[in-house]
Amino acid sequence: MKQSNTLPIGFVLKSKLYNYRIEKVLGQGAFGITYLAKIELQGGLGNLESSIHVTIKEFFMKEISGREGTLVTSSASSKGGLFYEYKEKFAREAKNLSKLKHPNIVNVMEFFETNNTCYYVMEYLSGGDLDSLIEHRGRLSESDTLRYTRQIAEALSFMHENKMLHLDLKPKNVMINADGNAILIDFGLSKQYDKYGEPESSTTVGRGTPGYAPLEQANYQDGHGFPVTMDVYALGATMYKMLTGKRAPEASVILNEGFPQDSFHSVNCSESTLDCIMKAMEPRKKYRIPDIPQFLSIIEKANEYGNNRQNDRENERPSSFEKQAGVDEETVAEEFAHSDKNGYARGQEEKNGDEDTGNRLHTRDVVNLREKKWMLGFLILMFLIALLYLFKINFSEELQFIAP
């Protein structure tokens, strides 16, 4: 990034509430530059530095904006006023975002205008973004994926309740805070609707990011309700990236070639979780999971099966009767390993559970039958011994009677 396009390090941005000293450039996108800054408290006799860091987003259109000193310039006359149109959208984004108070949505502190542009100030999240975490680990475990997915879904559900779409969900737009929780950020493509499902602005829906945007997003026309299924698709694609470490194919590829289940062959992922991803990423929206609450319901079931499987591993042990029958712990462990191969999807788990129960009952029946046979044999033997004893006595008496 060219330094001439950004505010200089050490520059102090002044709002009505605070002064912000720029410390670092965090990144730049198509519509803005993000800075790390430290709050300075301004008093009547001077300024006092604090240890509080914040993130500041500056409206700056990469293709048409320039900078003279610290002032932002634009070739608006040659671009049909796009700078001012999107500047208003940026301001609406900040104000709408400030109304969303949720533990998994970034907190906006204030919005102000200066330097011929506008800024909004957010909490600083030090844990890095989800995409970097995935790249560092290669891919995430199913338990971590389900935990982050649940948190992101809760944030999206809250947005949808407040009639706002995100429209650009992806791992790069999810931060991890100091407590290890997922926080949804970057609402540059978000769109606010009213209670009747009508958009508040006339701006078109953004195309989104390839691999995370559904087919209909590219050419979506407002006036067809509140299309939450776009965010549902992106959430499924975000799960895909977490579990495989790879970006999902574009929606058109999935439509023509089918969902790439081969990508999950080397992933320790349950059938219920994979089924949820496939339904969320259905390219035909009428077959897609219709909203986030239903998505959450499916995720909770997958998580419930995962907990049940873990509890089975910890609590299930061979009984003393099985040990007496010759079924040692190693054999039972092999049975559990075999039954665990296909994950904890409901149908497979019930099937494996029934098979394990049947095997144990069969073992007990065999042992009971053996015990009964031994008991019957013992009784027959004792009966034969008694007969021989009686025969011996009778034979002896007959010999004495016959003898002269």
Side-chain angles (χ1 to χ4, degrees):
M1 182 186 305
K2 294 181 179 179
Q3 188 66 24
S4 60
N5 282 341
T6 67
L7 292 172
I9 304 303
F11 179 77
V12 178
L13 269 174
K14 296 183 178 181
S15 74
K16 293 181 180 180
L17 298 178
Y18 301 104
N19 293 343
Y20 303 97
R21 184 175 295 276
I22 303 298
E23 291 192 345
K24 183 180 179 181
V25 178
L26 295 176
Q28 180 173 6
F31 294 93
I33 302 174
T34 307
Y35 303 92
L36 174 66
K38 183 179 287 186
I39 294 179
E40 288 188 352
L41 303 177
Q42 185 176 7
L45 301 178
N47 296 338
L48 179 65
E49 286 193 9
S50 73
S51 59
I52 301 174
H53 283 92
V54 293
T55 301
I56 300 178
K57 189 170 183 179
E58 176 187 51
F59 177 68
F60 189 96
M61 294 186 71
K62 192 173 183 179
E63 296 300 323
I64 66 175
S65 296
R67 197 181 296 273
E68 293 180 1
T70 60
L71 295 177
V72 173
T73 62
S74 68
S75 55
S77 59
S78 62
K79 295 291 182 178
L82 281 178
F83 179 85
Y84 297 102
E85 178 183 342
Y86 280 95
K87 180 182 174 183
E88 290 180 4
K89 185 179 185 300
F90 184 89
R92 284 196 302 270
E93 169 197 335
K95 292 173 182 177
N96 288 332
L97 184 54
S98 67
K99 301 174 185 177
L100 298 176
K101 302 300 181 183
H102 188 275
N104 299 112
I105 296 177
V106 65
N107 184 39
V108 174
M109 295 172 53
E110 70 165 326
F111 170 85
F112 62 94
E113 295 191 41
T114 188
N115 295 332
N116 199 33
T117 189
C118 51
Y119 303 83
Y120 64 84
V121 183
M122 303 169 284
E123 62 178 317
Y124 173 61
L125 302 168
S126 60
D129 61 64
L130 182 58
D131 198 61
S132 298
L133 179 64
I134 296 169
E135 290 184 7
H136 176 71
R137 295 187 184 177
R139 61 175 179 248
L140 303 187
S141 67
E142 183 173 20
S143 59
D144 283 344
T145 297
L146 291 174
R147 182 168 65 88
Y148 289 136
T149 299
R150 191 183 309 109
Q151 293 172 352
I152 298 167
E154 292 284 359
L156 288 174
S157 181
F158 183 77
M159 287 184 64
H160 295 170
E161 289 172 6
N162 287 272
K163 297 301 180 183
M164 183 185 288
L165 299 177
H166 190 279
L167 298 174
D168 197 23
L169 172 62
K170 55 188 175 183
K172 278 188 175 295
N173 288 341
V174 177
M175 298 293 291
I176 307 300
N177 67 8
D179 296 325
N181 295 319
I183 309 295
L184 192 57
I185 66 165
D186 201 335
F187 291 72
L189 294 184
S190 65
K191 196 169 181 66
Q192 183 73 51
Y193 290 73
D194 62 23
K195 62 180 180 180
Y196 303 107
E198 296 296 327
E200 288 190 351
S201 65
S202 59
T203 55
T204 58
V205 170
R207 297 177 64 88
T209 302
Y212 299 93
L215 284 170
E216 69 270 17
Q217 186 166 340
N219 300 301
Y220 184 79
Q221 300 294 325
D222 283 318
H224 301 285
F226 185 49
V228 297
T229 50
M230 295 184 188
D231 283 343
V232 170
Y233 187 98
L235 184 56
T238 298
M239 288 185 72
Y240 184 106
K241 177 67 180 288
M242 283 191 278
L243 283 169
T244 66
K246 302 175 183 178
R247 192 189 73 178
E250 294 188 26
S252 58
V253 176
I254 295 177
L255 177 64
N256 293 319
E257 301 181 9
F259 185 85
Q261 296 189 52
D262 292 348
S263 300
F264 290 83
H265 284 171
S266 60
V267 176
N268 184 20
C269 170
S270 69
E271 290 182 5
S272 56
T273 297
L274 177 57
D275 184 60
C276 179
I277 296 172
M278 293 175 63
K279 289 178 178 177
M281 293 183 67
E282 169 58 55
R284 297 163 297 178
K285 69 176 182 178
K286 67 179 180 179
Y287 298 119
R288 195 178 305 156
I289 297 174
D291 53 44
I292 295 298
Q294 290 196 42
F295 186 101
L296 275 169
S297 176
I298 297 173
I299 288 296
E300 289 302 326
K301 288 179 181 178
N303 188 59
E304 178 184 343
Y305 301 149
N307 291 336
N308 289 342
R309 184 177 72 166
Q310 184 65 28
N311 291 337
D312 287 344
R313 285 174 171 171
E314 294 175 355
N315 299 330
E316 191 74 28
R317 295 291 185 272
S319 66
S320 58
F321 189 86
E322 287 171 326
K323 291 180 180 179
Q324 293 173 5
V327 183
D328 59 16
E329 291 187 8
E330 182 177 352
T331 302
V332 175
E334 289 177 357
E335 291 177 2
F336 284 133
H338 176 72
S339 67
D340 197 44
K341 286 173 63 178
N342 292 321
Y344 45 79
R346 176 184 289 273
Q348 191 62 43
E349 182 179 347
E350 291 177 351
K351 178 182 176 183
N352 290 339
D354 291 343
E355 289 176 352
D356 289 343
T357 302
N359 290 337
R360 288 194 291 271
L361 291 175
H362 176 70
T363 302
R364 290 171 181 167
D365 290 342
V366 170
V367 173
N368 286 334
L369 182 59
R370 288 176 179 173
E371 287 184 345
K372 290 177 181 178
K373 287 182 177 180
W374 279 107
M375 182 62 70
L376 181 60
F378 177 75
L379 291 175
I380 293 173
L381 179 62
M382 294 299 296
F383 178 72
L384 292 174
I385 292 173
L387 287 177
L388 289 173
Y389 180 75
L390 291 175
F391 177 77
K392 179 180 179 182
I393 292 175
N394 292 334
F395 184 72
S396 299
E397 290 177 352
E398 289 178 359
L399 288 175
Q400 292 175 1
F401 178 77
I402 296 172

